[in-house]
Amino acid sequence: MSGVTRTLTLPGGGRDDRYVMTERPQSTPTETYHPLPQGLTIDDVVVRTAYEVKPGDIVVAQFGETRFGRRVSHLSLPYLAHPQSPHRCGCERCDECDDLDDESRHVCLAPSDAYDDCVVLHVGDVLAVVPALVAARFPPLTRPVEVDRFVIEGPGAPQGPYEGLRAPRTWGPWDRVSISPEAAVQLAEDLNARGAESGLTAEWKADWLVISWSARYRGMLSADRRYGAAGREVIEPDAEGRYRIGRLWRWGLHDEPSA
Ligand SMILES: [Zn+2]
Ligand SMILES: [Zn+2]
């Protein structure tokens, strides 16, 4: 199927104003292209300016001018449009909206959520979209489960990484990370492999993970290092079987080695 293209024009655009739409690329190890709802193809795509995008349209790609001419770039994660005026989209001044010099010439196509800033585009930006009426004939657009890799940064030796659910924008190093049962088993093994002098031990009571700390370890976490009491936390799996672990150490995001 590679090499299939369609040449599209904007509504009211001249015949010379052409946009070449290509097949959605396959994911590679470095680039992920989440699939469109099953059955959708480039035959279902039209070009629209950001100003013309309607609620319920699925935005799949954007056209840009480069030194080598006009090029389509496919979005890693197609999104459902909810066009609104920036600053009236309900976002609490995300970075995208905060930087905006002239809101009258921009449109917010998707308001910020726990993970991402608003999608703010110039009204004249050209997009490839599946119109809402067409999209309605296919299964709904789903958001994939997204993950990050987390490391224990300290106190003590770094450890990890462990895969956990993607960190929301407000996430901080002392917040909880939601890891799978497999990652929890690995984490417990790694903690115990460090030996008792690390101040942390892990054990399983059926499917409960019990993490114990020494007084000295607790002292390392507090501002005043002289004080600390030994203790333990029992972590039960949540409804999805995941373990939400936080406040026992400083988590950090793992920098992926470039492939
Ligand atoms: Zn915003
Ligand atoms: Zn917005």
Side-chain angles (χ1 to χ4, degrees), residues 89 91 94 97 112 118:
C89 60
C91 103
C94 72
C97 294
S112 58
C118 293

Side-chain angles (χ1 to χ4, degrees), residues 63-201:
F63 291 92
E65 307 292 339
T66 73
R67 296 173 54 189
F68 311 105
R70 189 175 280 163
R71 270 184 68 86
V72 61
S73 56
H74 291 265
L75 302 186
S76 161
L77 194 57
Y79 62 90
L80 209 56
H82 297 284
Q84 293 166 86
S85 294
H87 299 190
R88 241 167 283 157
C89 60
C91 103
E92 312 227 325
R93 287 266 163 164
C94 72
D95 288 348
E96 281 292 312
C97 294
D98 222 20
D99 287 350
L100 221 50
D101 45 358
D102 179 1
E103 61 181 284
S104 68
R105 296 173 61 175
H106 290 82
V107 57
C108 173
L109 287 188
S112 58
D113 61 15
Y115 298 100
D116 294 307
D117 287 344
C118 293
V119 180
V120 177
L121 294 174
H122 189 271
V123 290
D125 286 343
V126 178
L127 305 168
V129 307
V130 179
L133 278 175
V134 176
R137 302 202 312 260
F138 294 90
L141 187 66
T142 53
R143 218 190 156 95
V145 175
E146 290 185 80
V147 294
D148 281 326
R149 277 144 60 85
F150 298 87
V151 288
I152 297 177
E153 286 187 336
Q159 182 182 312
Y162 308 98
E163 196 173 271
L165 294 186
R166 185 176 171 196
R169 291 193 295 165
T170 54
W171 181 83
W174 298 101
D175 288 339
R176 293 179 193 278
V177 169
S178 181
I179 63 175
S180 67
E182 297 75 27
V185 166
Q186 185 64 51
L187 182 141
E189 262 178 39
D190 293 348
L191 281 181
N192 290 333
R194 291 159 65 159
E197 68 277 10
S198 75
L200 286 171
T201 49

